Amino acid sequence: MIPTAETEVAKSEEVERKPLSRRMFVGAAALAGAGLFGTQAVAQTRQEQLAGRKGNSASDPGPENKGLLEMNPSANMPPFTDHGNPGPIWYSFDLAPKRVQAGGWTHQVTQRELPPSRDLAGVNMRLTSGSFRELHWHTANEWAIMLSGKARVSVMQPDGKMFLDDVETGDLWYFPAGYPHSIQGLGEDGCEFLLVFDEGAFSEDDTFLLSEFVAHTSPEIIEKNMGWTRGQFDELPPTELYIFEAPLPDSLEAEKRFLGANLETENKYTFKMAAMTPTKKTAGGEARIVDSTVFPVSKGIAAAMVTIRPGGIREMHWHPNVSEWQYWIKGKGRMTVVTTGATARTMDFNANDVGYVPSMAGHSIENTGTEDLVFLEMFKTDRYQDVSLNQWIARMPDKMAQAHLKLATAAIRKAPQEKNVLLPR
Ligand code: MN
Ligand code: MN
């Protein structure tokens, strides 16, 4: 849950009443976190050596944006293990301006907001009850997850066969590039969903629209193509509808009856992700992995929905095939990304934030809150792949491991011997 402005103020006042400055408090928290990497004594020595954070060094007597510091303390006061600048790894939908129209809104986090993210872009959209995202298609493949509420979706294949379904919270859909599709809010309060596109520079304002195709074709062609008269042409929408209000549709059964033999049954464009049995489950949490091996139409985008219990971690790993784009659904966490040239960056994440990990870069995520952390790992690939650091170390012969890690074999072999995805086991 995102703390309210009121709780933020209360918390920062509480900190200010303490003898230590607020910044000293954050520095101490970073120091405590450093204990995870070795004994506290060693961490403090290295901290002092590397960061010069002795005594009053980290104090900040000038202005501070206390709200930002509370939400993301690691951004401003990194753990001493961070080094250099691997580029941005964080953005938030709550900084992205909403385009609001009668019937809902949309906003996006793309390469324009998070420049290194060239593979994937995200759009967050709301449709009130009955409202449509206008019928359209686009150059990117579209992967989506319902975050709240219910929608009716449809898509037509180039062979004319239709797919029609209703999706609820935790359900996915996947529409290949160029396939025309629709999304309509259902129920009392419509829905909110996340769309992920396999083009970093994708823009939701730049799609092919039904209204614009007909509005910008001459009335003579429209008459020859559809048989609609010039008078009827003048009644067509003169400009885009994009998001607009409409009556609720008939029942799914009735619309399926209308489509009859034109209904596509061999390809399924929706998938129940939240309801599926976890692919991996440990004491530290659960992962649900959905790629084209379980959701065959999803050829361009793979996903993992990860739940981390309080205190648990997504183990140190990397993806050998592609960059990672994340959407944080619930809870609080902290991610460290370590890439080439000894650069490392740690950021804190909250619900509705976006994370980015460069292709192949090592990373780990810790639940820093008191409730389950849930986030999505998204990849521009047909096949999910990850490499576990623990599993690799376990497969190094003793002398090889010892030569590199400078630890006794007994200590090295205390580490988990397999890929656990989530720790503790
Ligand atoms: Mn679309
Ligand atoms: Mn990952």
Side-chain angles (χ1 to χ4, degrees):
M1 196 188 83
I2 295 180
T4 63
E6 223 174 316
T7 62
E8 285 310 310
V9 170
K11 258 193 259 165
S12 41
E13 279 173 355
E14 186 189 328
V15 169
E16 276 181 354
R17 279 197 297 274
K18 291 180 181 165
L20 287 173
S21 78
R22 190 189 163 281
R23 189 54 65 80
M24 287 294 288
F25 176 78
V26 172
L31 193 60
L36 290 173
F37 298 91
T39 69
Q40 192 66 36
V42 170
Q44 280 171 352
T45 305
R46 286 194 63 197
Q47 160 110 4
E48 287 181 356
Q49 284 171 350
L50 294 172
R53 289 182 202 171
K54 286 188 276 194
N56 203 30
S57 304
S59 59
D60 185 346
E64 289 183 315
N65 184 328
K66 292 193 191 310
L68 269 186
L69 287 170
E70 288 291 340
M71 294 301 275
N72 207 322
S74 308
N76 175 278
M77 186 56 66
F80 75 92
T81 41
D82 273 16
H83 186 250
N85 182 8
I89 61 169
W90 175 95
Y91 203 79
S92 183
F93 273 104
D94 284 318
L95 293 175
K98 285 185 175 119
R99 170 182 177 178
V100 185
Q101 291 186 210
W105 48 254
T106 181
H107 57 169
Q108 54 192 349
V109 175
T110 70
Q111 205 179 327
R112 288 169 285 276
E113 289 74 29
L114 197 49
S117 179
R118 289 183 294 271
D119 293 338
L120 299 174
V123 170
N124 175 214
M125 192 178 288
R126 163 101 171 107
L127 296 174
T128 58
S129 181
S131 296
F132 273 107
R133 164 67 170 88
E134 183 187 347
L135 302 180
H136 69 283
W137 67 99
H138 33 69
T139 55
N141 292 308
E142 170 175 321
W143 183 101
I145 184 166
M146 186 55 68
L147 298 171
S148 174
K150 198 174 171 184
R152 168 95 27 106
V153 295
S154 77
V155 60
M156 190 181 79
Q157 298 182 162
D159 65 5
K161 289 192 173 173
M162 290 286 290
F163 177 84
L164 185 70
D165 201 7
D166 287 353
V167 285
E168 299 182 0
T169 306
D171 294 350
L172 311 182
W173 68 81
Y174 185 91
F175 298 150
Y179 286 30
H181 53 276
S182 68
I183 312 164
Q184 184 176 22
L186 296 180
E188 294 276 294
D189 191 37
C191 58
E192 182 183 337
F193 49 90
L194 174 79
L195 303 161
V196 179
F197 298 94
D198 62 352
E199 287 175 6
F202 182 83
S203 173
E204 180 58 19
D205 300 324
D206 207 7
T207 61
F208 299 94
L209 301 175
L210 170 62
S211 59
E212 291 180 342
F213 195 15
V214 295
H216 297 285
T217 300
S218 74
E220 292 74 27
I221 295 290
I222 293 292
E223 184 150 14
K224 286 180 179 173
N225 197 77
M226 285 93 157
W228 301 338
T229 64
R230 176 60 203 254
Q232 287 166 331
F233 175 87
D234 290 339
E235 289 173 40
L236 291 166
T239 184
E240 65 168 0
L241 298 168
Y242 194 67
I243 288 174
F244 65 101
E245 293 172 315
L248 281 165
D250 292 333
S251 71
L252 185 62
E253 293 65 36
E255 292 205 336
K256 281 186 169 175
R257 264 198 306 279
F258 162 77
L259 285 166
N262 296 318
L263 212 54
E264 171 62 38
T265 49
E266 56 267 38
N267 289 330
K268 197 159 162 43
Y269 292 89
T270 55
F271 186 91
K272 297 205 166 293
M273 188 182 207
M276 77 184 272
T277 307
T279 316
K280 187 82 192 175
K281 188 173 179 155
T282 69
E286 299 170 356
R288 289 170 171 79
I289 296 168
V290 177
D291 64 13
S292 64
T293 59
V294 295
F295 185 25
V297 296
S298 184
K299 294 214 187 330
I301 301 176
M305 180 188 277
V306 179
T307 300
I308 309 180
R309 309 285 176 226
I313 66 165
R314 172 76 174 91
E315 70 173 354
M316 296 168 76
H317 70 283
W318 67 94
H319 305 277
N321 50 346
V322 73
S323 71
E324 173 173 331
W325 190 97
Q326 299 162 348
Y327 179 71
W328 290 59
I329 295 175
K330 166 172 143 34
K332 292 173 83 70
R334 181 187 297 136
M335 173 165 73
T336 295
V337 174
V338 183
T339 184
T340 57
T343 54
R345 179 85 162 118
T346 299
M347 296 282 286
D348 301 288
F349 292 79
N350 294 279
N352 219 24
D353 289 354
V354 172
Y356 174 74
V357 183
S359 188
M360 328 273 169
H363 54 288
S364 57
I365 293 169
E366 182 187 9
N367 182 340
T368 53
T370 53
E371 59 166 347
D372 281 359
L373 159 64
V374 181
F375 70 98
L376 293 167
E377 300 180 3
M378 304 297 310
F379 308 94
K380 181 177 179 170
T381 179
D382 66 335
R383 193 68 61 92
Y384 175 91
Q385 285 186 46
D386 64 352
V387 177
S388 159
L389 180 61
N390 276 338
Q391 194 170 47
W392 188 34
I393 292 171
R395 280 149 180 67
M396 295 172 189
D398 285 343
K399 284 183 179 171
M400 187 194 288
Q402 227 174 26
H404 284 81
L405 297 167
K406 316 294 184 197
L407 294 176
T409 304
I412 293 170
R413 300 307 175 210
K414 259 188 217 160
Q417 300 291 294
E418 294 299 333
K419 182 190 290 188
N420 286 281
V421 183
L422 293 141
L423 291 168
R425 283 173 281 172

